[in-house]
Amino acid sequence: MAEGRDVQWVEVSEGQVGQRIDNFLRTRLKGAPKSLIYRIVRKGEIRVNKKRVKADYRLELGDLVRIPPLRLAPEEAVREVSDGLRNLLAGSVLVEGPDWLVINKPAGLAVHGGSGVKIGLIEALRQVRDDLDFLELVHRLDRDTSGCLLLAKSRTALVTLNQALKAHQMDKQYLALVQGRWPTRREFVSARLDRFDAGNGERRVRVDSQGKVSRTRFAVREAFSRVTLVEAEPVTGRTHQIRVHAAHAGHALLGDDKYGTREGARLARELKLERLFLHSNALTFPEPSSGRPVHVKAPLGETLEAVLARARQAR
């Protein structure tokens, strides 16, 4: 194999051990879409210790990775992060540890690129934080949800935090504004949830007796005349769980264009709410190296606070 001058040879360091080669390449080849990365791995353009590997190969200490130069067609490239988004994300870090960070995710930004989204939060952050060799999401938030989002800065931290998530050692708390008066006696909603194809490639979730067991704890934070601010804590972690459970209980979230109602849309217009009112306001997780609990809070943004102020005036 003839080698050009632009070919890179990268030796795997301790912090990259155990990482999948496709995720490693996404960090190194900034701007390359996943489809292109899978293609060059499949064609053998990526080599580890001069051998072909599959996309799920996990790196070992001292591995030598061959990375070819890439020339991206404009329609293939992940969009370069704008100065506005760069500054927004740089100022959105709530707290950072040696191998993790929590960001206050802006509403309207998908956590991943793909399906028509040229750049997601993780791709943008990898450009903003080019000092990091590793950066991966520990969990996800819906595109229209804001608030606490945890990321790992090392493979070891990612594995440890994922184990904590599966063992229910991570607590996530949300604030949501729902239509109607949520009854104070109703503390839990338990309803099985099933994902389905709603057409045009859109995935949605519905209550279905054959779905996965799902449970959400709700508590009233502030009651208004026609809407209620509730605290929601998902006991299980299903897609759109809070939104679907609230709608199933007869109190759909305001600003929800997937599971909301006409009445909810009317109330949102009256309150000048222009986005989904769902915010991850608190996150607790065990620090990966010490196990000590870390508590992080993300304040409501100005636009959501203004909506609550208008709701109080309408009481």
Side-chain angles (χ1 to χ4, degrees), residues 247-268:
H248 179 65
H251 301 279
L253 271 63
L254 265 62
D256 194 338
D257 59 0
K258 291 184 184 296
Y259 308 105
T261 66
R262 290 183 179 179
E263 173 64 13
R266 186 182 65 79
L267 291 169

Side-chain angles (χ1 to χ4, degrees), residues 287-300:
E287 209 282 331
S289 58
S290 68
R292 66 177 178 83
V294 178
H295 306 282
V296 185
K297 288 193 173 185
L300 277 176

